[in-house]
Amino acid sequence: VTRPRAIELAARIVATAVPALCAVYAIASPTSVLYGGAAWLVVLAASVAGYGHVVERWIGAEVDLGLRMAWGAGLYLGVAGVLLAAGVLSLVPLLVLVAAGLAAYAWRQWQVERPILVAALEATPRAIKEPATTLFFVLVIGVAVVNVAGAVAEQEGNPYDDDVAYTPLVKRLLDTGDLDEPFSFRRISAYGGQTALSALGAARGTLANLYLVDGALFYGIVLLLIAGLARDRERLATVAASRDGPTTDRLMTGFVLLVVVLLPNTSVNTGAYWTGAALFLALYRTVVVTSRDDAPHVRLFVVVGALAAAACTLRQNCISVALLFPLLALLARPRRRDRRLWIATIAAGAAVLLPYWIAAWRSNETFLFPLIEGTFNPDIPTRPTVLSPWQELQFFIKVILEPEPVRVMLVLAPVLLLAQDRRVGRPLTAFTIAVLVGFAMLVHSFTISDQLTLWRYSFAYALPLFVVLVVEGLAPGLRRVTDDDPVPVRIPVVGRIAIIAALLVQIALSGRGLTRKYARLGADLERAAASATHPDRALHLELTYSELQLAAPAGASIAVALDQPYLLDFARNRIFNLDTLGFASPAPGMPFFRGPDAVAAYFQGQGIRYLAFVRGEASRYQYRRETWLRRTFVDTEIFRVQGAYTVDGVDTFAALAATRRVLFERDGMVLVDLGAAR
Amino acid sequence: MTRALAAALCLAAIGCGHDRAIDDAIRARERFVRELAAREGLVDVWSLSSRSDLEFADGLGPIELLDPDVPFTGWDEVAHRCESTPALPVRWMGPRAHLRLRGDRDGDRRLEIRGRVDVKAIQTQPIVTASIDGREFHSGAVDAEGYFLISAAIPAAWVAEWADVYVTLSSVHEPYKDPEGRAAAKLTVARLEGVIWEPRGP
């Protein structure tokens, strides 16, 4: 065996063995938040890359790691959707899915011509020759790694969103394989793709790594997608002879990556954030590949349709952009009536989306919220009571003027209008229009909200648009571009200067508050690392929840209004999470402002005999009466309305506990038998 | 393409704005909130809270709960007491406060707006003027302590749809004109302390 052969063999063995060993360690150490979580991150990264390899093989093209992983995530979401619709996406099937991805990953390690470790070794001499560039990229990668570690280590979710809804949805999925929560507003607000992804992070046996999937895995995928966009310019093995324009200058690429790694985190919970950005960036890049004459168009449009549908499953507000972008790209093709491409896109999209629709319908009697309200309470406003067109215009302007976290979006808007995309399908033009229309629809439909929330919701497509404009717009550098130049996007020199200036300004703006961010991140890391050395838990809260649940007969239905319902065993009882009180409930609708007897009769009419709730004065967050009493009068409209429902709800539950048999009460947590008088 | 864009913009402009009618579900919720306020001793806060027939619009800050024992001292930061204890709810206002109100097919209505100006801080006793959809129905100077009270019977016909009420203070300008501004906490020179908007009854 020659030395290079031996190195190659060793590289393949290492690449195959590391994820397998990580899987063993992560599953064997569920209480180790940092090291166990990091090991599981390696497993999940390899698994989605494995799924991506399956897609690659089917298309017959080899793409960069970022795009491969994003394609893999799309395939995973497609498969997970089918299991979710069947109600069997529980822990064991999830682990089987992870293992299947790992098997595909291992298969690739022995198929690939040049193992990734060998490629990395070969790149080392070139990196040494350019120490300044290398140092810059080491810095960027270093910050990225710290951010990833921070996301692995962070254990505090948002008590309003994560503790009450998102984490319980993950727990429900792992326990039962379904997401049937007809009383949950947060369930009705998304098809469940994000929950299916988050469940991957918890499948090793702990819910502690809340941000493992979104903040670590998909954050990494976004960075790899950006690097791939800048470096490879959509080079495919099948069409390797002709790249789609020059590689973006490395310094500029470094700046873009620096901007992204330094972005302030505007995410406030474990809802879709980086997952959305990754899928939209991958969707864009896949549409770009379809621009090329020699690409396998039909199969690529299958991937386009599947990725668009996968993005739809993450958040309802992704739907408009995810549908409009492929539609516009297809319409902009010279052979717009090529039925094969339309059929491929629509069929793949439907195949991914249909199972999520089935699951959503079973849970909330709607597959198109908010257009079809399902179990949502129509009396809950999403728009202000009164809003004049002038006020709405003012609201639009306020939102546009205060973008977050990419604060230079406004400066770049004119550059977007100057950009000329001559590629088939006009990917950048189509994406820009789709984003603008989708964002306008979001703002219009949610004027009761605020600009920070709206930019957070739109992060999934706003960040990719920014990245694409910068990376593709700067591909020719600052040189004059002639008509013959194979550049992806033509922007006048002044526009490209504006982009560079915007990048630098964004870095300066992001610098504010960094010290505090990283001080907190350091504290998170220390705490998470300590979990491995001291695995013992007090379990007081867990035991209280367990005892409460054990006071109800196994198999009985329980409606719960508790602060941490993820501590319940969803497999033992049919649990209905009441989530944000009054926002959603099956017909004829949970009665509010009508007293306790009406509520008891309603629950019993739904086949729910037991009610578990936390008293308003004992609640740690979601059901605190004093907080909601204040918000009923002094907050914005949506929270004034929610306050009224919550105060009525907790008062009604307390009244029920006074007249019905109480089976358990401790620390303000109560289990009531609605069918038995006191 | 240009025509399609123009058509889309026109459609978007037509779709802007919103006005939700008062229905039974809203009435039930608001009745509950009103009764809750009475039970909890929060009627003053409730009176300053937007609801389906009254909207506190521009020229007013959000509700703040003040310690009523702290004197009204203009430039000084106002101390806040724990919000669970009795407090004085106010909305800081600039020289012009905008409210929107409407009836609920329940006949003529009574409008009462109470407020106060820190006459020591601005060293004048401004004239308070109130109008509804351009009809001026109140005008008078604040008293020596700065208090003002606007009280009027509003015919049902005036408020069949949303009507705009403007409360204007004369002689108040820099630096007190923006209660929503960044330094709003320090612009404590004029405030609303209560608004009654209810059917006149028999």
Side-chain angles (χ1 to χ4, degrees), chain A residues 40 76 89 94 170 173-174 194-204 213:
Chain A
W40 194 239
Y76 162 76
L89 188 60
L94 265 167
V170 170
L173 192 67
L174 293 170
Q194 181 73 2
T195 307
L197 288 170
S198 299
L200 285 176
R204 75 179 178 102
V213 170

Side-chain angles (χ1 to χ4, degrees), chain A residues 544-616:
Chain A
T544 306
Y545 270 84
S546 300
E547 287 183 42
L548 177 144
Q549 188 170 0
L550 286 170
S557 296
I558 312 174
V560 305
L562 298 167
D563 287 317
Q564 293 100 350
Y566 59 85
L567 294 174
L568 296 169
D569 179 355
F570 286 78
R572 181 181 183 272
N573 292 93
R574 174 66 177 103
I575 286 167
F576 295 92
N577 187 358
L578 299 182
D579 192 0
T580 46
L581 295 177
F583 276 48
S585 57
M590 185 174 159
F592 278 84
F593 319 120
R594 285 166 49 192
D597 290 339
V599 172
Y602 170 79
F603 278 135
Q604 288 183 284
Q606 298 291 320
I608 301 168
R609 177 161 174 166
Y610 300 91
L611 169 69
F613 72 96
V614 59
R615 292 189 184 275

Side-chain angles (χ1 to χ4, degrees), chain A residues 223-244:
Chain A
L223 296 180
L224 289 169
L225 279 165
I226 297 171
L229 178 66
R231 281 182 63 235
D232 285 355
R233 187 76 57 228
E234 314 316 347
R235 181 181 54 187
L236 287 170
T238 52
V239 287
S242 57
R243 284 187 183 192
D244 180 18

Side-chain angles (χ1 to χ4, degrees), chain B residues 26-35 51-53:
Chain B
I26 293 175
R27 285 191 196 97
R29 189 183 76 229
E30 295 199 334
R31 195 180 314 120
F32 167 79
V33 172
R34 176 74 180 81
E35 290 165 5
R51 40 199 183 265
S52 62
D53 59 358

Side-chain angles (χ1 to χ4, degrees), chain A residues 331-355:
Chain A
L331 285 173
R333 294 181 73 84
R335 291 171 61 204
R336 69 179 65 166
R337 290 189 183 159
D338 188 341
R339 282 188 194 165
R340 291 174 313 147
L341 305 187
W342 286 88
I343 290 169
T345 312
I346 294 167
V352 172
L353 215 43
L354 195 62

Side-chain angles (χ1 to χ4, degrees), chain A residues 5 8 11-12 15-16 53 56-57 62-63 68 104-119:
Chain A
R5 275 292 283 165
E8 199 182 293
R12 289 183 204 279
T16 311
H53 179 57
E56 268 185 339
R57 294 281 297 188
E62 193 174 321
V63 293
R68 189 185 318 135
Y105 163 85
W107 173 38
R108 185 179 188 279
Q109 302 317 306
W110 295 92
Q111 293 281 317
V112 71
E113 199 175 309
R114 197 171 54 146
I116 192 164
L117 291 176
V118 173

Side-chain angles (χ1 to χ4, degrees), chain A residues 70-212:
Chain A
W71 283 358
L75 178 58
Y76 162 76
L77 280 169
V79 176
V82 175
L83 299 178
L84 177 65
V88 294
L89 188 60
S90 55
L91 178 62
V92 173
L94 265 167
L95 286 172
V96 171
L97 286 182
V98 173
L102 278 182
Y105 163 85
W107 173 38
R108 185 179 188 279
Q109 302 317 306
W110 295 92
Q111 293 281 317
V112 71
E113 199 175 309
R114 197 171 54 146
I116 192 164
L117 291 176
V118 173
L121 277 175
E122 287 171 1
T124 309
R126 202 178 66 195
I128 293 168
K129 270 187 200 165
E130 300 174 42
T133 310
T134 304
L135 201 63
F136 181 50
F137 275 91
V138 165
L139 171 76
V140 173
I141 293 167
V143 177
V145 168
V146 170
N147 288 345
V148 166
V152 173
E154 189 168 355
Q155 297 171 68
E156 271 100 29
N158 180 329
Y160 174 72
D161 296 325
D162 297 321
D163 288 2
V164 174
Y166 296 144
T167 310
L169 282 172
V170 170
K171 180 68 163 41
R172 166 171 206 97
L173 192 67
L174 293 170
D175 285 352
T176 68
D178 68 48
L179 288 174
D180 297 348
E181 287 287 10
F183 290 86
S184 172
F185 172 58
R186 265 64 81 90
R187 170 66 182 104
I188 209 171
S189 308
Y191 288 138
Q194 181 73 2
T195 307
L197 288 170
S198 299
L200 285 176
R204 75 179 178 102
T206 177
L207 293 165
N209 296 112
L210 290 172
Y211 297 90
L212 183 75

Side-chain angles (χ1 to χ4, degrees), chain A residues 434-519:
Chain A
V435 168
L436 291 178
V437 172
F439 188 60
M441 286 171 68
L442 170 67
V443 176
H444 173 71
S445 61
F446 209 26
T447 40
I448 207 163
S449 185
D450 57 81
Q451 74 276 11
L452 192 62
T453 302
L454 293 168
W455 280 107
R456 178 165 62 83
Y457 285 171
S458 63
F459 181 81
Y461 40 82
L463 181 77
L465 183 62
F466 164 76
V467 164
V468 164
L469 177 69
V470 174
V471 173
E472 295 199 328
L474 291 181
L478 290 178
R479 69 181 164 79
R480 191 167 163 270
V481 175
T482 64
D483 278 353
D484 302 330
D485 264 340
V487 294
V489 175
R490 284 156 204 278
I491 295 173
V493 173
V494 67
R496 282 176 265 153
I497 292 172
I499 293 175
I500 294 170
L503 271 181
L504 299 176
V505 169
Q506 178 62 43
I507 291 171
L509 290 173
S510 297
R512 288 182 171 189
L514 274 184
T515 320
R516 219 176 68 187
K517 173 183 164 182
Y518 285 102

